[in-house]
């Protein structure tokens, strides 16, 4: 079983409009509401593949009730800890050109007692003998009230139980989480740039792969077992115990990119849990990330695009000094 943690879930509301008029009235052609937050998107994707999973997190208020009801409707197993604050909402606006704007509320403030109840549920899931945990995913932002080292503590609890962790967060929470030794971390370019303090763009504004590789290697030296960097439409670059790898989709996918990184995280966790070799993990991750862009809302993906992408994605081992 894969244990997925979403400490700051949300009710995701997505509006599709022909074009955005920031000074006038916008009428949506389609509106979607789904349980969201990065961890919830990961759990929904894993569930779509028939992977045994459970979503743990913190929910409160009427929005939290809507998230819980949405997960139940989608048949995604969840054991959520009730809190007194109101779960946040996120609003995504997508126009006909595929331009996306995302508006995130901050979420509730969590008390020490509420987080202690969550940790008890998390520890119980890690040590379950009925459904043993094969991997843990820690994904998304920390809600207010939680210490910046909270993910590091959850990584350590998993390590003590012998369960590998995939960590997908940002900033100081990511830095401290890396020091605790997760199996995989998955920053995007902006998160890697913030963490490493390095310029990662080339003269044309694309990713400078040499700089990205060096920055990613520094995260592995800091404690991560492997680092998989999302390059957006350019695919993935991975620094692993089995060398450096580059996974590239055949063409840039168009649509709503919100949640594409969560699809990548889900594929990496799935590959970790079932023991896929790195080149296959990355093939599935790149294909699933592109297929998520082709779906209307985060946490979903186009099955046809995914199936086509598996044969179209190229995965190559990179021979660069930072990987040695």
């Amino acid at each position: 079983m894969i244990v997925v943690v979403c400490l700051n879930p949300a009710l995701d509301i997505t509006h599709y409009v022909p074009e955005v008029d920031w000074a006038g009235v916008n009428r949506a052609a389609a509106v979607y509401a789904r349980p969201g937050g990065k961890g919830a998107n990961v759990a929904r994707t894993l569930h779509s593949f028939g992977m045994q999973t459970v979503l743990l997190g913190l929910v409160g208020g009427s929005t939290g009730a809507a998230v819980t009801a949405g997960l139940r409707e989608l048949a995604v197993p969840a054991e959520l800890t009730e809190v007194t604050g109101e779960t946040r909402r996120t609003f995504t606006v997508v126009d006909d050109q595929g331009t996306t704007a995302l508006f995130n509320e901050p979420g509730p403030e969590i008390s020490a007692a509420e987080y202690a109840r969550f940790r008890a549920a998390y520890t119980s899931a890690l040590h379950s003998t009925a459904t043993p945990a094969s991997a843990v995913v820690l994904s998304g932002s920390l809600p207010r009230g939680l210490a910046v080292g909270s993910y590091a503590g959850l990584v350590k609890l998993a390590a003590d139980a012998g369960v590998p962790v995939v960590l997908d967060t940002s900033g100081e929470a990511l830095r401290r989480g890396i020091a605790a030794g997760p199996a995989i971390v998955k920053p995007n370019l902006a998160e890697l740039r913030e963490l490493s303090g390095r310029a990662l763009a080339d003269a044309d504004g694309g990713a400078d792969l040499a700089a990205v590789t060096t920055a990613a290697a520094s995260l592995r030296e800091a404690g991560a077992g492997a680092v998989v960097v999302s390059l957006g439409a350019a695919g993935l670059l991975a620094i692993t115990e089995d060398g450096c790898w580059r996974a590239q989709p055949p063409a840039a996918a168009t649509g709503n990119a919100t949640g594409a990184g969560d699809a990548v995280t889900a594929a990496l966790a799935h590959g970790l849990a079932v023991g896929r070799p790195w080149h296959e993990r990355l093939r599935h991750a790149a294909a699933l990330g592109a297929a998520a862009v082709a779906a209307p809302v985060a946490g979903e993906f186009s099955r046809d695009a995914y199936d086509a992408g598996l044969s179209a994605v190229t995965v190559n081992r990179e021979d660069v000094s930072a990987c040695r």
Side-chain angles (χ1 to χ4, degrees), residues 198-262:
R198 299 173 183 268
L200 303 179
D202 60 22
D204 297 323
D208 181 337
L209 294 182
V212 171
T213 301
T214 300
S218 71
L219 302 192
R220 188 159 188 264
E221 292 167 1
V227 182
V228 179
V229 183
S230 174
L231 305 174
L236 306 170
L237 186 144
I239 314 296
T240 79
E241 72 281 1
D242 193 29
C244 289
W245 302 86
R246 177 82 188 280
Q248 296 175 269
T254 58
N256 180 10
T258 308
D262 304 329

Side-chain angles (χ1 to χ4, degrees), residues 175 192-199:
R175 187 187 306 278
L192 182 62
R193 181 174 58 249
E194 177 187 8
L195 208 60
S196 67
R198 299 173 183 268

